[in-house]
Amino acid sequence: MRVLLIGSGGREHALAWKLVQSPLLSKLYCAPGNAGISQCAEIVDLDPTNHPAIIDFCKSSQIDLVVVGPEAPLVAGLADDLDNAGIKVFGPSAAAAQLEGSKGFTKDLCAEFNIPTAAYGRFSDSASAKAYLKNCQIPIVIKADGLAAGKGVVIAETVNDAEAAIDDCFSGAFGDAGSEVVIEEFLEGEEASLFALSDGQTALLLGTAQDHKRVGDGDTGPNTGGMGAYSPAPVMTQDMIDQTMSDIIVPTLAGMHSRGMPFKGILFAGLMLTNKGPLLIEYNVRFGDPECQVLMTRLKSDLLELILASIDGSLLEVEANWSDKAALTVVLASKGYPGTYEKGAPIEGIERAEETGTTVFHAGTASNGDTLVATGGRVLNVTALGDSVSEAQQKAYAAADQIKWDNGFCRRDIGWRAVEREKQAGH
Ligand code: AMP
Ligand code: GLY
């Protein structure tokens, strides 16, 4: 098969790395890609927002399948446009992508189908949002309804902060994403993620992971896209996984089906593990970045076969096999990220890092002649397997330390929750 992958992050490098291992693949293209992806795919200069150009390329290059990595093209209807043009695509329709594109949509679905989540209100004007606040406890969570690149959520510790967050949303701080606001009960617990693949009816569990959203060690500093992840997440017991599948994932898929917008693709549930069990915080309609890097490292089955089963509605006929090992990825980012950072600084030592048995997935990289340079905030993902999270962590940092990049930094404590659990269990 000839496959076009859309995206340019560490997630897409991990997907490309896994796709080229498939015996079903004959040629992989990627747009817009990065320097790492260019080692396993032919890079094409296409803008993911230009749907007609993507369709033209697919037709002229006999593309059999398009795999969409990030959420924005899905919310913008790229899967619908490809489908209408008769091109096979992996990723949900715009209607189904509302699970990520509109927090209010997801909360209403949860309310209708009894899916456990935080209590909420949904508002399109500031006065009614502030009136609702009067009956809420503090802290309270204020969310812009639409896609805001992870920046549209404020946990307000005072009524003043909550009102200011509401004013920010309605005054356009998040553009159209803030024209509606969701106010949500604050949940206490540990966060974890669960990934499932769906063909519109059936859910196939892919696994669990934990991300590290804050930029600094000890979970301090501003939120980022994710500074590192590991899989599986030992905090999720088999009971919690079963409960999440039966009480959250299955009713979501049934609800979407009954609304006439069946969900096909990757359903990524962000969960709070509370004393009432796992509650849904949010859905994403694609793999996580960097969670995808650890999932792909553990996946033994053919990814392309699983993707085709999801598209063809035959997920019941396939199974996904996983390594028993733990995978852990450390993100190397440009100094200054998630704020402003310098671009173009040279990076050396990726081969030395990989000689230790790890895989380095690229995100914001480009080739400048023979030199690899950093072009983004998150730049590399050093990914290791181990018999425990502690072992995977040691290997990942030993490899990361082989990389010479003066303008880069990483968190030094990725995996700390699992490592502490392993210490307590005496491993
Ligand atoms: P979201 O974009 O909805 O995933 O929210 C971003 C982050 O805000 C989550 O990963 C949580 O850390 C936090 N968060 C969101 N909703 C809640 C909630 N209801 N209670 C506590 N923390 C939350
Ligand atoms: N790492 C979190 C996300 O991909 O949304």
Side-chain angles (χ1 to χ4, degrees):
M1 291 190 86
R2 297 164 64 79
V3 177
L4 169 65
L5 173 64
I6 303 287
S8 62
R11 166 181 49 213
E12 286 75 28
H13 191 189
L15 292 173
W17 172 84
K18 190 66 193 161
L19 284 170
V20 294
Q21 295 173 37
S22 170
L24 300 174
L25 186 98
S26 53
K27 170 102 188 171
L28 182 65
Y29 294 89
C30 183
N34 61 40
I37 297 174
S38 74
Q39 291 163 11
C40 51
E42 183 174 328
I43 303 296
V44 269
D45 186 19
L46 287 170
D47 171 2
T49 65
N50 188 344
H51 300 188
I54 294 178
I55 291 168
D56 283 348
F57 173 80
C58 290
K59 290 195 168 152
S60 62
S61 301
Q62 291 97 41
I63 296 297
D64 301 300
L65 168 69
V66 179
V67 176
V68 184
E71 64 279 14
L74 296 168
V75 172
L78 179 58
D80 307 72
D81 290 344
L82 287 165
D83 200 39
N84 289 335
I87 299 158
K88 224 179 238 221
V89 55
F90 180 61
S93 65
Q98 289 180 89
L99 283 174
E100 178 163 0
S102 166
K103 294 187 189 292
F105 173 90
T106 298
K107 297 301 284 189
D108 287 353
L109 187 91
C110 289
E112 186 179 346
F113 296 95
N114 275 324
I115 296 164
T117 186
Y120 76 108
R122 189 179 178 182
F123 306 96
S124 48
D125 70 276
S126 158
S128 49
K130 287 180 183 171
Y132 177 86
L133 267 188
K134 295 202 164 46
N135 297 317
C136 293
Q137 286 187 332
I138 297 293
I140 185 83
V141 187
I142 312 293
K143 300 185 173 184
D145 180 73
L147 291 185
K151 298 189 180 85
V153 175
V154 170
I155 297 174
E157 305 282 349
T158 65
V159 174
N160 276 349
D161 288 355
E163 291 190 341
I166 291 170
D167 287 335
D168 275 354
C169 280
F170 287 120
S171 64
F174 306 109
D176 283 351
S179 60
E180 262 204 46
V181 166
V182 169
I183 301 182
E184 210 177 87
E185 166 199 10
F186 176 77
L187 300 175
E188 263 176 283
E190 190 169 328
E191 281 181 62
S193 306
L194 180 141
F195 293 82
L197 176 64
S198 175
D199 59 8
Q201 308 241 35
T202 308
L204 177 71
L205 173 68
L206 296 182
T208 59
Q210 252 177 338
D211 188 13
H212 299 65
K213 286 192 179 151
R214 304 296 198 92
V215 75
D217 285 10
D219 294 331
T220 54
N223 268 337
T224 68
M227 293 301 293
Y230 57 93
S231 170
V235 63
M236 283 200 79
T237 60
Q238 189 59 49
D239 272 357
M240 288 185 207
I241 293 173
D242 294 345
Q243 215 179 328
T244 305
M245 290 301 285
S246 64
D247 297 356
I248 298 181
I249 302 291
V250 168
T252 296
L253 295 177
M256 294 298 283
H257 196 265
S258 75
R259 284 187 175 191
M261 40 182 88
F263 183 89
K264 285 185 168 203
I266 298 291
L267 193 54
F268 160 2
L271 304 167
M272 191 68 88
L273 308 176
T274 70
N275 54 17
K276 288 185 271 181
L279 302 193
L280 180 72
I281 303 178
E282 63 158 359
Y283 273 130
N284 298 306
V285 299
R286 34 90 192 166
F287 277 114
D289 186 346
E291 292 91 330
C292 185
Q293 290 79 312
V294 283
L295 287 170
M296 289 306 108
T297 304
R298 287 186 51 236
L299 179 63
K300 289 194 194 158
S301 308
D302 181 351
L303 174 64
L304 196 44
E305 200 178 298
L306 294 175
I307 286 178
L308 292 173
S310 151
I311 297 171
D312 298 341
S314 57
L315 266 190
L316 278 177
E317 292 156 34
V318 294
E319 56 180 81
N321 294 311
W322 301 87
S323 163
D324 295 333
K325 292 189 186 255
L328 182 141
T329 189
V330 174
V331 171
L332 273 55
S334 295
K335 283 179 188 161
Y337 173 79
T340 52
Y341 49 83
E342 178 193 311
K343 290 185 183 180
I347 304 170
E348 282 170 31
I350 307 247
E351 299 75 16
R352 277 199 307 279
E354 291 198 317
E355 275 164 17
T356 67
T358 62
T359 310
V360 180
F361 296 115
H362 293 220
T365 63
S367 300
N368 186 358
D370 286 342
T371 310
L372 183 72
V373 296
T375 56
R378 293 188 294 170
V379 172
L380 297 169
N381 304 257
V382 183
T383 312
L385 281 169
D387 289 332
S388 60
V389 176
S390 312
E391 189 184 288
Q393 184 196 51
Q394 280 159 15
K395 288 186 177 170
Y397 281 114
D401 290 340
Q402 298 297 318
I403 295 175
K404 192 170 167 309
W405 172 30
D406 291 341
N407 195 46
F409 78 98
C410 63
R411 271 182 68 161
R412 297 299 311 188
D413 65 344
I414 299 303
W416 68 270
R417 283 192 176 80
V419 168
E420 262 176 31
R421 279 197 175 85
E422 287 173 354
K423 273 192 196 137
Q424 276 164 18
H427 290 303

